[in-house]
Amino acid sequence: MQKILIVEDEIQLAFGLKDNLELEGYQVEVANNGLEGYEQLTKSQFDLVLLDVMLPGMSGFEILKRIRQLGNVTPVIMVTAKSDEIDKVLGLELGADDYMTKPFSLRELFARVKAVLRRQSGSPISVTTPVTIGILTVDFANYTANHNGESVAMTPKEIEVLKFLWERKNQTVSRDELLTQVWGYDETISSRTVDNFILKIRQKMEEDSAHPKHIITIHGVGYKLIP
Ligand code: CA
């Protein structure tokens, strides 16, 4: 399970982001000031940091500079309240992997987090051309989906679940497999979560989601995708 640190002094924003990222299957820690953020980064391993620029204690730029000096290569997405180009460039020159300007949508956040983590893991995307499943055309490489040319909103996790099933099409995939392979084992994610994701995916790709023809439930075990 991938671990994200949010360094953000706006408490409400920090915990809102934490909740939403956790729903996407990440493990999330929050630091509410710069010193705490820096300390956490030097003590624990993270797969990604969302680093606010303006922070009490130590600025996001300072934190980034210091951890890079220590040889810490954790991917960093800088978050800034200013749309100032200089801030952006400065962040990237200091070794940030990406930046976001507040306010940003969850959709944008998920897409960037996903992209940075994907670059980081260097895991090759095996499916490079869009595939058609049910009424949906899915581009796994770009995390997009459409129906009759109209874009269909899907979360990165929904796309990943669908991709996992597609790569094992016509085979039964157990809930446990989905949990451990797509989410990574985590006791806070239950098989109910998997079922909820399947439900949402079906609503987007089945002609009639009440009578699914493409993601079939295998009772007591899991699911099977039939293209
Ligand atoms: Ca701030």
Side-chain angles (χ1 to χ4, degrees):
M1 153 153 277
Q2 288 169 310
K3 207 169 150 194
I4 298 177
L5 175 67
I6 299 172
V7 188
E8 172 62 68
D9 58 317
E10 292 175 56
I11 310 254
Q12 236 182 328
L13 173 64
F15 284 94
L17 294 177
K18 176 176 158 64
D19 286 349
N20 280 289
L21 286 165
E22 283 177 344
L23 284 173
E24 290 293 304
Y26 300 104
Q27 190 186 334
V28 184
E29 305 279 335
V30 171
N32 289 130
N33 66 64
L35 290 171
E36 199 190 310
Y38 176 70
E39 218 180 86
Q40 290 218 42
L41 277 165
T42 50
K43 280 200 304 212
S44 319
Q45 276 293 124
F46 293 92
D47 295 294
L48 176 68
V49 189
L50 291 179
L51 185 56
D52 189 28
V53 172
M54 299 296 284
L55 290 164
M58 192 188 292
S59 81
F61 287 138
E62 187 64 26
I63 293 172
L64 179 59
K65 201 169 86 187
R66 289 197 190 188
I67 64 164
R68 291 293 188 251
Q69 278 168 357
L70 293 172
N72 183 325
V73 294
T74 308
V76 170
I77 299 179
M78 298 297 298
V79 179
T80 171
K82 300 177 199 163
S83 53
D84 213 327
E85 284 302 318
I86 290 165
D87 278 357
K88 293 174 183 173
V89 172
L90 188 52
L92 293 171
E93 276 181 359
L94 282 169
D97 297 83
D98 204 345
Y99 63 84
M100 284 194 299
T101 305
K102 292 179 194 172
F104 50 83
S105 67
L106 284 173
R107 195 187 160 89
E108 184 188 0
L109 171 73
F110 294 152
R112 284 174 190 267
V113 163
K114 188 59 61 180
V116 169
L117 288 173
R118 199 168 56 217
R119 281 207 298 275
Q120 165 70 5
S121 68
S123 56
I125 304 275
S126 52
V127 189
T128 51
T129 50
V131 299
T132 300
I133 309 167
I135 58 168
L136 206 61
T137 302
V138 193
D139 182 343
F140 291 118
N142 291 308
Y143 282 75
T144 57
N146 73 79
H147 167 48
N148 287 343
E150 296 269 314
S151 163
V152 174
M154 290 188 79
T155 67
K157 198 52 99 185
E158 287 171 358
I159 298 259
E160 275 178 29
V161 170
L162 194 52
K163 177 169 177 262
F164 191 82
L165 291 172
W166 194 87
E167 287 170 345
R168 290 153 189 80
K169 53 183 177 269
N170 302 314
Q171 300 169 35
T172 300
V173 174
S174 71
R175 286 186 181 79
D176 271 357
E177 248 181 294
L178 279 163
L179 275 174
T180 53
Q181 302 295 312
V182 180
W183 275 270
Y185 180 74
D186 171 18
E187 63 271 27
T188 63
I189 305 283
S190 68
S191 51
R192 176 63 66 87
T193 309
V194 176
D195 295 340
N196 287 337
F197 266 82
I198 297 290
L199 203 68
K200 280 192 274 178
I201 294 168
R202 276 179 178 153
Q203 285 163 357
K204 295 169 187 179
M205 47 83 68
E206 294 280 356
E207 192 111 22
D208 175 5
S209 63
H211 302 96
K213 287 194 186 126
H214 299 284
I215 298 182
I216 310 294
T217 302
I218 308 297
H219 286 288
V221 184
Y223 298 97
K224 184 194 281 190
L225 185 142
I226 301 167

